[in-house]
Amino acid sequence: MSRPCLSVRPRRIRRGTALTLTLATVLATGAAAGSWHAGHTARPRPEPSAASGSRTADRAAVERAAAEAMAAGKSGAQAAAEVVSRSGDRWSTIYTAGEFEDFQRQLDGGYVGVGLWLRQARGGRMEVSRVRPGGPAARAGTARGDRLVAVDGRPVRGRPVTEVVALLRGDDEAGRGRAGTPVELAFQRGARRWSAVVHRARLRSQDVTTDRPAGASGPVRIRAEAFTKGSGAAIRDAVRAAPPDAGLLLDLRGNTGGLVDEAVTAASAFLDGGLVATYDVHGRQRALYAGDGGNTRVPLVVLVDGGTMSAAELLAGALQDRGRAVVVGSPTFGKGSVQMPSTLPDGSVAELTVGHYRTPAGRTVDGHGITPDLTVEDGATARAVTVLSGLGTGT
């Protein structure tokens, strides 16, 4: 039986450009250049007209359109996508069978790409926001802040980030990235322009990292880029490894989501059981609970911004409602709808909105987001360290 999903991307028809998050089975994370790894997009905000999340695609109409198109010798997936487009449901989408298979393979956090992440800067310029150490792009001398000018001679300025993702991955007609294939990348750094031919590789995401932004005597920052498989356990391990007298910063800025069960595991690192979120599927209420034995003593501040989406919002909202953390930053994106995948007659997959999730206090996230306890646009990390110092220590 299909299980519900929490999606982190608007609907689309193009192959290889979806951004998906799954409750239990299917994973593709946010828009990251050369991978499906969730990361640095251009800090998206909800469109006012769609913020309510009330429009949903009708499953029966989608399945009927696909069947009728196939009977007429046409593309069932394309017909289904057109129904979804007309519905105004920006979170429902149609995947080819190859795309869906590719997403399932990525449950382990692996991806095919060149190891760089992009954001769309002013004027449509494509800027490198992060480079994977040791990856193909890093070996070519690429650095954060460089401008990606072209991929295989195709200018990328003004293109959606997701389209550039597909180019960097080398997606085939089934939407699969191809490891080992060459791709020519053109960059600009200041007045310098250069090109390099790199080979795509199968890489593993590094979604959870730790550092101490205020120095060796300051708090430990746990940065979660996405909730891929193992991310929740990595956060739990980071909490356990932190010095007992150090507070914690859980940095969810730019986290576009991931596997919801991984977000629940992450919540379990800070809670001793209890409710994390509720959600409905076709009107039937379900609940997600934290495991027992989390560290409830260490002072905790959660950092969020407009790029914090879906499962990351679920986690931030749970820790806020449970009184476990002070949330600092700017309002989050507001993506809290549940999608359910089903297979269409041609093997493509329709992932359609079937419900919404809420925080432990009953707050609706979809179209609203999480409002921080302390709103800070600039210098959020420094303010978070100050707030944490006022919370005492975990001993």
Side-chain angles (χ1 to χ4, degrees):
M1 181 178 69
S2 296
R3 297 183 180 179
C5 309
L6 295 179
S7 261
V8 295
R9 79 279 171 265
R11 59 170 173 75
R12 61 54 181 136
I13 299 176
R14 291 186 57 87
R15 291 185 175 92
T17 60
L19 310 176
T20 287
L21 131 65
T22 310
L23 175 63
T25 54
V26 182
L27 167 69
T29 51
S35 74
W36 289 115
H37 171 66
H40 303 271
T41 59
R43 297 291 186 255
R45 308 281 186 185
E47 302 167 14
S49 62
S52 67
S54 60
R55 297 180 179 178
T56 59
D58 180 80
R59 184 178 301 275
V62 169
E63 294 176 348
R64 183 168 57 251
E68 290 175 351
M70 289 186 63
K74 300 178 181 179
S75 168
Q78 182 66 31
E82 290 171 358
V83 172
V84 170
S85 179
R86 290 195 298 269
S87 75
D89 182 349
R90 64 186 185 133
W91 300 114
S92 291
T93 194
I94 306 298
Y95 301 100
T96 66
E99 288 171 351
F100 201 71
E101 178 186 346
D102 191 38
F103 295 164
Q104 290 177 307
R105 286 200 303 265
Q106 293 175 47
L107 279 168
D108 64 354
Y111 63 94
V112 171
V114 299
L116 62 82
W117 288 257
L118 301 176
R119 59 170 169 254
Q120 195 166 63
R122 185 173 301 174
R125 295 188 299 274
M126 206 61 61
E127 185 176 290
V128 176
S129 60
R130 179 183 169 197
V131 181
R132 177 189 173 90
R139 292 194 296 270
T142 311
R144 180 178 178 180
D146 289 346
R147 175 185 165 192
L148 178 64
V149 178
V151 177
D152 280 336
R154 303 179 187 178
V156 298
R157 181 169 182 168
R159 287 177 179 261
V161 173
T162 50
E163 287 191 16
V164 183
V165 169
L167 292 175
L168 289 169
R169 281 172 51 97
D171 286 345
D172 57 21
E173 287 300 307
R176 300 185 181 96
R178 298 170 292 172
T181 55
V183 56
E184 183 179 12
L185 309 178
F187 294 100
Q188 182 173 349
R189 182 185 303 164
R192 180 193 170 202
R193 289 176 175 261
W194 79 98
S195 296
V197 176
V198 303
H199 287 78
R200 300 176 179 96
R202 187 166 294 280
L203 306 169
R204 286 198 58 82
S205 56
Q206 297 174 319
D207 296 312
V208 177
T209 57
T210 61
D211 66 356
R212 305 191 81 162
S217 61
V220 173
R221 175 170 58 184
I222 304 172
R223 179 163 179 78
E225 300 278 354
F227 290 111
T228 52
K229 188 174 182 180
S231 296
I235 291 173
R236 179 195 61 210
D237 292 345
V239 172
R240 292 175 176 173
D245 59 345
L248 295 177
L249 301 175
L250 178 60
D251 194 344
L252 301 179
R253 291 175 295 181
N255 184 319
T256 52
L259 290 166
V260 174
D261 55 356
E262 295 294 338
V264 173
T265 299
S268 302
F270 305 103
L271 299 171
D272 187 16
L275 188 63
V276 174
T278 60
Y279 64 100
D280 60 278
V281 176
H282 298 305
R284 297 182 62 185
Q285 298 299 309
R286 317 278 179 89
L288 301 169
Y289 294 95
D292 297 333
N295 189 330
T296 61
R297 302 177 308 279
V298 63
L300 176 65
V301 170
V302 177
L303 283 160
V304 299
D305 66 3
T308 304
M309 301 174 66
S310 207
E313 293 176 283
L314 181 154
L315 175 58
L319 296 175
Q320 186 182 52
D321 280 4
R322 296 283 302 273
R324 182 61 188 89
V326 176
V327 179
V328 174
S330 52
T332 63
F333 183 84
K335 169 62 184 72
S337 59
V338 180
Q339 278 69 45
M340 181 81 76
S342 63
T343 303
L344 298 177
D346 64 350
S348 58
V349 176
E351 191 180 77
L352 307 180
T353 301
V354 295
H356 299 82
Y357 72 77
R358 295 175 177 81
T359 68
R363 291 183 292 163
T364 299
V365 175
D366 205 52
H368 300 281
I370 301 297
T371 300
D373 298 302
L374 176 62
T375 300
V376 180
E377 291 291 344
D378 299 315
T381 300
R383 289 294 298 276
V385 171
T386 300
V387 169
L388 200 54
S389 67
L391 297 178
T393 66
T395 57

